Amino acid sequence: MARPLTDQEKRRQISLRGIPDLENVHELIKGFNRHLHFTLVKDRNIATPRDYYSALAHTVRDHLVGRWIRTQQFYYESDPKRVYYLSLEFYMGRTLQNTMVNLGVQNTCDEAMYQLGLDIEELEEIEEDAGLGNGGLGRLAACFLDSMATLGLAAYGYGIRYEYGIFNQKIRDGCQVEEADDWLRYGNPWEKSRPEFMLPVHFYGRVQETKEGSKWVDTQVVLAMPYDTPIPGYQNNTVNTMRLWSARAPNDFNLKDFLRGKGAASEAGVLCGGCDSSGHHPTLQNLQERIPQRTSFESFPDKVAVQLNDTHPAMAIPELMRIFVDIEKLDWDVAWDLTRRTFAYTNHTVLPEALERWPIKLMETLLPRHLQIIYQINQKHLDNIAALFPDDMDKLRAMSLIEEDGEKRVNMAHLCIVGSHAVNGVAEIHSNIIKTQVFRNFSDLEPGKFQNKTNGITPRRWLLVCNTGLVDVIAEAIGEDFVTDLDQLKKLNDFVDDKHFLQSIMKVKQENKLKFAQYLEKEYNVKINPGSIFDVHVKRIHEYKRQVLNCLHIIHLYNQIRMKPNAPFTPRTVIIGGKAAPGYHMAKMIIKLITSVGDVINNDPVVGDKLKVIFLENYRVSLAEKVIPATDLSEQISTAGTEASGTGNMKFMLNGALTIGTLDGANVEMAEEAGKENMFIFGMTVDEVQEMDKEGYDAMSYYEKLPELKQVMDQITSGFFSLKQPHLFKDITDMLFKYDRFKVFADFEAYVKCQERVSKLFQDPIEWSKMVLRNIAATGKFSSDRTITEYARDIWGVEPSNIKIPPPSEPLRVEGLTS
């Protein structure tokens, strides 16, 4: 018998989660038991919770497979232009709940598990996060795949199947320790290996010039094994494919060389984890083979669009040229025209150290033919520049693909720009910076090539999956169309003065905070005040993201409490999380500083529950889904001009958190959409930062004129937070005083004053919730559906479609369906 619905479920717009039809529940239970017995070879007497998760995952996957095959049949028959999204990372997180939501079977699965005596939320928690990325670039790629499928685009994600993720972060003694992320140890029910499509990847060797052209000979071969993962659109029966490559040694490889770390098989292991050359050689070969035979290479760009997600897959450009020129025997100029019309490049950073430059010595050893092609591309490119700007050696040097200052290197960003027909930044301010500063010479030469595509997030995962309470409240007020048309949220502005609606929003937030406080207490053994401001700063640990500025403010708050323990104080729980790159010493020291400060504050009886500091261990997608809905204040405090876009800022905004931030990245456009008065904006602008760079930044002057800053820095310097090692944080203090590129002190005073405004407004729940509602209502622009629609129309030359492919139970009728 079905269980009675709760009050919350009765008012839910249940079509969002799927109606739990009893016949469907019965079929799902049958499928679950079948997989438990025949796939896992277990029964209920010996099955573990992980077995139950796996049986449910396989059962849900069964609902995908027919649609997956049907989608590929539909593409074959209708022959649309294909989009190939090449990315070093796809930060997918967990798959089960997202798939149930997109298929509309979540309530059915929930009911089936209930009837089996199982808790679906407990099963969802067992799933490992897919260890395929870290941070914004990889998560953006995952959101884009969701939107491409939802918009009915014939799109494929291509990348690398990392057998071990970036790493699991453990905090021991306040320090980051890296452990292997063995995310595949229990298998992955969502992927399908495709050994029949295995392809050779060549390394080493030499180039031989023959009458027939250049030949790459005497190479060592590594096999690239593809694994396919289904990517369902939102309730439209479209299921696209993410194909990831894994390195496999050929049968005749030299085992001794491999064990000694020599030879192509060994190099492939390194390359698959580092650069993307091995990842995208097979991609281009595979892409070549997937084009229907009736398509000639002359019309290749009319049938294929390839998007490079940053510079990591840049080697795809010379690889496609190699295929066209060496294998297909096309004329160089014809091949180059086809290649440029096929590729487009997304830039994700303005930081010079993050713009990839590959040593010539490495490339001439590993990929000699590709280096030769790059030299030829560069020569023709420089000939063109020299014709336009005779005798301008500085311009030639600045625009060359080959850098010769010090160690000779290939500038991969320049290769991407020259080899693409479109180049885009990921927020309006970022796109302007790459046009007017970073790549100005290229932009002046081809201004039409440079575009902006402001990033977005998928509302399916970042609302439907992670914040069902808020979804219920919104759907009850404005209906369900916002799930695929986030602009519908503008209708929420009609409720800004509706006290009952504001209380509903506040209630959801408080429930999310209570749930997360329980999680923190369980995981970190720290009692959290659920009535405090949940002040959250989660992202990669990096100097430019300025977790240090946040930490200085925490110490300032602590000093205020100690100075006047009985004075009124708005309670605050500061939550910081993120991973530091294993070799990034300063980022690791920043983690140590945060945890050390937290140890002192959390154990000071004078402070009580007025202020707590938590460092979230091993921040990842599944943890983001818990913390973001519970957040009151989102920290987006990078130095203006350094954050390309940010997508975390959008997730917080959508989930009812207010933003404290600089006018950087997408914060600028968020302020335009919501109104600057509905965000807590502080600090220098891009122009002011540039002016300070010209005049010179004097950190000591701020230290001397700001007594609060002086007190904080003196405490860190004297070892107040590291009594056993007084000089532990010398590297951080030296950086802040002597060579801080990101000007933490310059924004300290404005940040502190802005935080005082936050504390004051939080004491007025109705005014706070009005601001929250205005932010949620303004998030329409930041849907990845909007971003992908712009890519499709402006760059890829394809049109999004709202066509619903017939389900596998109905005949496939292509005529009249193709948009």
Side-chain angles (χ1 to χ4, degrees), residues 3-253:
R3 64 186 166 92
L5 294 176
T6 64
D7 289 342
Q8 187 183 36
E9 287 169 329
K10 283 175 185 171
R11 66 183 174 81
R12 175 174 288 143
Q13 310 287 307
I14 56 176
S15 62
L16 284 171
R17 290 164 61 95
I19 301 168
D21 180 86
L22 287 180
E23 186 179 337
N24 292 337
V25 170
H26 178 66
E27 284 300 311
L28 207 132
I29 290 172
K30 274 174 61 180
F32 178 89
N33 285 327
R34 187 180 72 251
H35 279 296
L36 191 63
H37 293 165
F38 297 108
T39 306
L40 300 168
V41 197
K42 294 281 185 78
D43 64 15
R44 294 294 295 267
N45 293 317
I46 60 169
T48 65
R50 187 173 294 282
D51 293 325
Y52 293 140
Y53 155 73
S54 191
L56 176 59
H58 279 95
T59 307
V60 172
R61 183 174 174 268
D62 288 348
H63 285 73
L64 278 175
V65 168
R67 292 170 172 82
W68 196 8
I69 293 170
R70 170 57 61 87
T71 300
Q72 302 314 310
Q73 290 170 339
F74 178 70
Y75 292 160
Y76 185 83
E77 294 296 330
S78 57
D79 192 23
K81 184 174 185 178
R82 265 79 159 183
V83 175
Y84 297 89
Y85 195 83
L86 274 54
S87 181
L88 181 68
E89 300 181 7
F90 288 96
Y91 203 14
M92 305 302 289
R94 292 169 174 165
T95 299
L96 175 59
Q97 191 182 0
N98 192 76
T99 301
M100 292 189 296
V101 165
N102 278 12
L103 290 179
V105 298
Q106 193 172 13
N107 272 355
T108 304
C109 292
D110 194 356
E111 182 61 40
M113 293 305 101
Y114 177 81
Q115 292 191 21
L116 287 167
L118 299 169
D119 184 327
I120 197 167
E121 286 191 15
E122 288 178 7
L123 300 186
E124 288 165 355
E125 284 296 314
I126 290 168
E127 183 176 1
E128 302 278 346
D129 280 51
L132 298 169
N134 168 50
L137 177 140
R139 185 52 235 171
L140 180 79
C143 284
F144 279 5
L145 292 185
D146 178 274
S147 285
M148 287 186 246
T150 298
L151 293 169
L153 299 178
Y156 304 80
Y158 275 93
I160 296 174
R161 181 180 180 266
Y162 301 100
E163 292 186 21
Y164 295 91
I166 175 170
F167 59 84
N168 273 330
Q169 181 195 56
K170 298 291 182 187
I171 302 298
R172 293 197 183 125
D173 241 353
C175 298
Q176 171 177 296
V177 176
E178 299 93 24
E179 292 184 353
D181 177 14
D182 191 8
W183 71 283
L184 288 168
R185 64 190 175 280
Y186 297 109
N188 178 6
W190 304 104
E191 69 181 6
K192 175 72 180 80
S193 64
R194 301 287 194 188
E196 67 274 23
F197 299 134
M198 198 144 48
L199 290 168
V201 179
H202 296 264
F203 292 99
Y204 298 105
R206 57 192 175 84
V207 180
Q208 190 177 68
E209 300 300 336
T210 69
K211 290 179 182 177
E212 291 80 34
S214 299
K215 287 188 177 178
W216 188 13
V217 299
D218 298 337
T219 59
Q220 295 186 36
V221 173
V222 174
L223 300 176
M225 163 85 94
Y227 289 79
D228 288 353
T229 300
I231 307 292
Y234 181 70
Q235 299 188 16
N236 64 352
N237 295 324
T238 294
V239 180
N240 283 341
T241 302
M242 175 176 70
R243 173 161 287 185
L244 304 178
W245 300 98
S246 182
R248 292 285 181 273
N251 290 335
D252 59 348
F253 86 108

Side-chain angles (χ1 to χ4, degrees), residues 546-557:
R546 298 206 293 191
Q547 286 92 352
V548 168
L549 178 58
N550 191 348
C551 195
L552 299 186
H553 175 249
I554 294 167
I555 299 169
H556 167 66
L557 291 178

